[in-house]
Amino acid sequence: MIRAACIQICASDDVAANLRETSALIRDAHRQGAGFIATPENTNLMAAGKAAKLEKTFSEADDPSLPAFRALAEELGVWLLIGSLAIKVSETKTANRSFLISPQGAIAARYDKIHLYDVDLANGERYRESNTVAGGDRAVTADLPFGRIGLTVCYDLRFPHLYRTLAHQGAFLLTVPAAFTETTGKAHWHVLLRARAIENGAFVLAPAQCGIHPNGRRTYGHSLIVSPWGEILAEADDKPGVILADIDPARSAAARAQIPSLCHDRAFGLGDRADLAEAQVWAENSRDKG
Ligand SMILES: O=C(O)CNC(=O)[C@H](CS)NC(=O)CCC(=O)C(=O)O
């Protein structure tokens, strides 16, 4: 059992202010008993335009937010998922990179957002994330004392096979730090997050950006923690804050035992993982008895 928290923020183009405000909410979550705390996509920077973004981002070695978050994780003795930092990886591009930080302050995992948000909405909103971001090319899981988690970011949410892959790799909890637009969040956010939880029998932890950012962009907020059965365990409103829920990995095992859709997944073959096969045997035995 671990208490998990999602931090909701309204990041600006002021890196120091974003660090200050996020750190205060992380301390707040820790005071409320959280041992695993996750922050949104682009925790360090929501910039207005490419030039502004490149001017305010650094290589991983020189980024000022990362050592501060590592020190904070160590000070509080918590697992910290920094949903993403914009990290400069070339003269013209950044990575949209998640960092998992251990209670010792070590970087336990990194994940670069794979799917980039190049989208034109009917209302004229236009996004070209690939103008400033170099996409990642591999799925990432990480082992925590309470189980294996799978890392994703924002628009990845619309690619269910990534979540399937992470579940088949043993993840019982999926992280989806986001800066979902207000427009698409209203229409799709809850449904997509609950679907990823239900279809994979996994907890979903989705810390979100909210409010109005420097470029006039509006994000949806409504950070969400979803159970492996698809229940909303905690939900934020549209303001900065903290939400919490207790995570019991047994709930994932129980959901997968009742509905062994991961085992029945012909695309991935049957029973190639011992614990999934076990869940299926458990389910078949219970059916026989019933
Ligand atoms: O641009 C930045 O500075 C930070 N990056 C983001 O906010 C990213 C890319 S624009 N946002 C999303 O992926 C929203 C996805 C979304 O809203 C959907 O899938 O509908």
Side-chain angles (χ1 to χ4, degrees):
M1 263 294 236
I2 182 134
R3 182 162 297 174
C6 289
I7 302 302
Q8 183 161 297
I9 58 173
C10 179
S12 70
D13 55 359
D14 182 338
V15 171
N18 295 335
L19 174 62
R20 221 169 29 243
E21 284 156 25
T22 306
S23 300
L25 290 170
I26 289 170
R27 288 180 185 283
D28 195 12
H30 170 254
R31 274 193 295 273
Q32 296 183 63
F36 178 38
I37 303 173
T39 73
E41 181 182 30
N42 282 285
T43 290
N44 64 334
L45 180 64
M46 289 286 276
K50 181 162 184 167
K53 188 172 187 181
L54 289 171
E55 188 192 314
K56 292 185 177 190
T57 48
F58 300 89
S59 70
E60 191 177 301
D62 294 331
D63 182 81
S65 304
L66 190 55
F69 284 127
R70 291 178 63 178
L72 187 59
E74 187 176 15
E75 182 201 325
L76 303 178
V78 298
W79 288 91
L80 210 52
L81 179 91
I82 301 302
S84 77
L85 300 176
I87 296 289
K88 199 178 277 181
V89 291
S90 74
E91 283 307 307
T92 55
K93 291 281 171 77
T94 59
N96 194 338
R97 185 170 294 166
S98 275
F99 293 91
L100 178 69
I101 303 173
S102 78
Q104 289 74 40
I107 297 173
R110 294 172 178 78
Y111 166 72
D112 287 357
K113 182 182 188 180
I114 296 173
H115 304 96
L116 303 182
Y117 198 51
D118 291 350
V119 164
D120 295 280
L121 300 179
N123 64 5
E125 282 179 61
R126 182 175 192 275
Y127 301 92
R128 285 295 178 275
E129 188 173 22
S130 64
N131 282 344
T132 58
V133 175
D137 58 9
R138 59 188 199 98
V140 174
T141 62
D143 290 323
L144 280 70
F146 51 88
R148 184 168 291 175
I149 70 168
L151 280 62
T152 74
V153 175
C154 199
Y155 184 51
D156 283 332
L157 179 59
R158 296 180 185 273
F159 302 85
H161 43 279
L162 173 60
Y163 296 79
R164 200 56 153 189
T165 300
L166 294 167
H168 276 290
Q169 289 176 358
F172 87 101
L173 183 150
L174 305 161
T175 53
V176 193
F180 239 65
T181 72
E182 186 181 62
T183 310
T184 57
K186 271 182 193 158
H188 301 154
W189 175 249
H190 293 79
V191 173
L192 289 175
L193 289 167
R194 294 184 63 203
R196 297 298 87 82
I198 293 164
E199 69 202 5
N200 295 299
F203 286 93
V204 168
L205 217 59
Q209 294 274 353
C210 65
I212 305 176
H213 307 277
N215 52 2
R217 181 157 162 214
R218 292 168 181 272
T219 54
Y220 181 59
H222 292 269
S223 295
L224 224 58
I225 303 177
V226 186
S227 83
W229 197 247
E231 304 143 303
I232 294 176
L233 300 177
E235 176 168 358
D237 55 17
D238 56 358
K239 303 279 186 316
V242 176
I243 58 167
L244 301 119
D246 289 330
I247 303 294
D248 180 357
R251 286 177 81 168
S252 168
R256 290 171 176 179
Q258 288 182 73
I259 302 183
S261 56
L262 286 175
C263 294
H264 293 160
D265 188 346
R266 303 310 306 190
F268 283 83
L270 257 177
D272 50 354
R273 272 196 41 234
D275 51 339
L276 292 180
E278 226 169 83
Q280 187 176 27
V281 168
W282 188 92
E284 277 164 8
N285 287 344
S286 337
R287 262 198 293 274
D288 293 346
K289 278 188 220 122

